[in-house]
Amino acid sequence: MSIRQIHITIPSEAELPDILSSLTPEENYWMLKIGCDSLREGRRVTSSLTSDELYKKIEQDFKQDIEQLEQTIRTEQQTSLKMQDKMTSMYELQLEQLHRKLETAMSKIMGYEQESSASLETEIQKIKQKYELMYREKETQVARMTDVHEKLLVQLQTTKSTSHKGSEGEKKFEEYAEVFIDFKGYELADKHTQGGEGDFHLHFEEFDILVDAKNYKKKVPNDQREKIKKDLQKNEHLQFGWLVSLNTSIEKYDKSPIMYEWINTRQCLVYINNLCSFEDPKKILRIVWFTCKALHDMTKEVNFDEEEIAKLKDIRYKTMDKVRNLRKNIREINTSMNATRNLVQVMDDELKGMLESETNEMVASHVAIFDEWWDANIEVVSENTVSASTDLWTRFKQENKYVLTEMDITGDKFKQYLKTKVPMSAILLRSKNANAAFDIKGVHLKEVKDSKEEGSKEDAKIEVELNEEVMKKKKVVKKSQI
């Protein structure tokens, strides 16, 4: 077989496969032939595609991408709804558990009132108050948990981060601030990246303003007011501070759309509520600026005779700050007092344990007799049925008259036993006396069957016959002795 050599040009940066050097001339031929045929067919198919087909193919690919995105969004929404349902069921379960604990605690307190003597009644009242206080604290905790749950829902329902919302609010206020572009000496300085400087500084020829814009979905809290107040006091060269809430009101300063607060004789805070709700927010900012200018002019006209008044006002503002600090210390003292109350609660729980052990010891020696009689004579029914403790005691005495004296079973011990067999919520007191009779809900005395009556009669006859035989035997013994 003769061999022919050909020259092929390829790009200089292309890398040749390692297998190329090991191919035979025949394999080289088939490699070139198959590659050329494939390339020719590809060119033919590509050239046959029209512009409409290319457009349809691109449109189909785009639709597939859209469907994938929609599927992802639906999956995220379903996950969010499931998490919301799970959180709701969890908090409802916790609320139900708290109510059950409260009912159990209240029933125990009622039991202690009935079982304890007059000397413990005052202590039991205190225990009641402790449980009510604990319940209120639990309600407060539940309210806090609900707030946290609502915040989580807000975070799940929106993909915007807090920083993104803040930047949106800053951009919106920056747009509104363009209304001052024709004012003398106007200049807007962005300070949101610098701590303690607010979001913006508005510089004018007459005075300067510190601005803090809030894009909240709820009321602007008190800590944000304290923050801008500290920032303004830090920047003594700024005469005014604007706390601008774009979509909500400001806590404690929402009685009017615009409110003012002097923090000293030279600096004033302006609270602007729900700026975006106005028909023309820019016009509102111009009105606030002219009001600040009038206040600035008034403070500039203070003569030397009024300097003493200004000093007194400064002292007053400082005194108010000290009063606020004292209130904060009082809140901390209240927290310490709550901790002390918790310790007292622990002592009360130990006292309850002692009372429970004492009650259990009172009926422990006769539990077997009582349980056997209870199972044979008592039937659990609906709560609409009420039985008196005196009726149960009468039946018990009739059926166990031979063991009452021997076992020293009294009516008080029987009532203590009844209290251990039913929940305290089923006991209805007739009087405040702990040893008095009471009614029981949900239990009923079983009817006495005839077979039992006949059996008891036969037992009575046998007992009488046995007693007669014993008497006869005794008489015979006496005669023999004579």
Side-chain angles (χ1 to χ4, degrees), residues 342-429:
N342 292 334
L343 293 176
V344 175
Q345 182 65 40
V346 173
M347 297 174 63
D348 291 339
D349 293 338
E350 292 178 354
L351 177 61
K352 294 172 191 175
M354 293 170 62
L355 291 173
E356 288 179 356
S357 62
E358 183 179 352
T359 302
N360 294 333
E361 289 176 0
M362 292 177 66
V363 296
S365 58
H366 309 303
V367 168
I369 298 173
F370 286 138
D371 287 343
E372 184 179 356
W373 178 86
W374 180 274
D375 295 336
N377 294 273
I378 301 301
E379 181 181 4
V380 179
V381 293
S382 63
E383 293 186 355
N384 296 328
T385 304
V386 178
S387 299
S389 62
T390 53
D391 296 339
L392 274 62
W393 170 239
T394 302
R395 172 75 70 84
F396 183 81
K397 285 193 300 181
Q398 291 174 354
E399 297 181 358
N400 301 275
K401 57 185 177 180
Y402 299 107
V403 297
L404 291 179
T405 306
E406 294 178 3
M407 303 298 292
D408 191 22
I409 299 176
T410 62
D412 291 338
K413 289 184 179 180
F414 183 76
K415 283 184 284 188
Q416 293 293 337
Y417 168 75
L418 292 179
K419 293 175 182 177
T420 63
K421 294 297 290 183
V422 297
M424 298 306 299
S425 58
I427 295 177
L428 303 176
L429 298 177

Side-chain angles (χ1 to χ4, degrees), residues 27-150:
E27 291 173 341
N28 289 333
Y29 168 72
W30 285 109
M31 176 186 69
L32 292 174
K33 188 176 185 310
I34 292 170
C36 292
D37 292 342
S38 299
L39 183 60
R40 186 185 306 109
E41 182 65 20
R43 287 177 177 177
R44 185 184 64 79
V45 172
T46 304
S47 61
S48 64
L49 290 174
T50 63
S51 60
D52 293 337
E53 291 175 344
L54 288 174
Y55 175 76
K56 289 181 180 178
K57 187 174 184 306
I58 294 172
E59 183 180 9
Q60 184 178 4
D61 294 340
F62 183 70
K63 287 182 178 179
Q64 290 178 353
D65 293 339
I66 291 176
E67 289 177 357
Q68 291 178 356
L69 288 174
E70 289 178 349
Q71 182 67 25
T72 303
I73 292 172
R74 285 195 295 269
T75 303
E76 291 179 355
Q77 289 178 346
Q78 293 175 358
T79 304
S80 175
L81 291 174
K82 289 181 180 178
M83 184 174 293
Q84 180 179 353
D85 294 339
K86 187 175 180 180
M87 293 291 289
T88 303
S89 60
M90 181 181 70
Y91 289 126
E92 288 178 352
L93 179 61
Q94 291 181 355
L95 281 171
E96 185 179 356
Q97 291 176 351
L98 288 174
H99 285 298
R100 287 179 181 175
K101 288 182 180 178
L102 177 64
E103 290 177 358
T104 303
M106 295 300 293
S107 63
K108 287 183 178 180
I109 290 174
M110 291 176 62
Y112 298 143
E113 286 181 351
Q114 299 165 7
E115 298 167 6
S116 62
S117 61
S119 61
L120 292 177
E121 289 184 359
T122 305
E123 295 297 329
I124 291 175
Q125 292 297 329
K126 292 182 180 179
I127 292 172
K128 265 190 177 180
Q129 295 175 1
K130 299 299 186 302
Y131 276 110
E132 290 176 357
L133 178 62
M134 182 176 67
Y135 180 67
R136 288 195 293 270
E137 291 178 354
K138 292 296 182 183
E139 283 186 336
T140 304
Q141 292 179 2
V142 170
R144 292 175 181 173
M145 293 169 69
T146 305
D147 291 338
V148 174
H149 177 59
E150 291 177 355

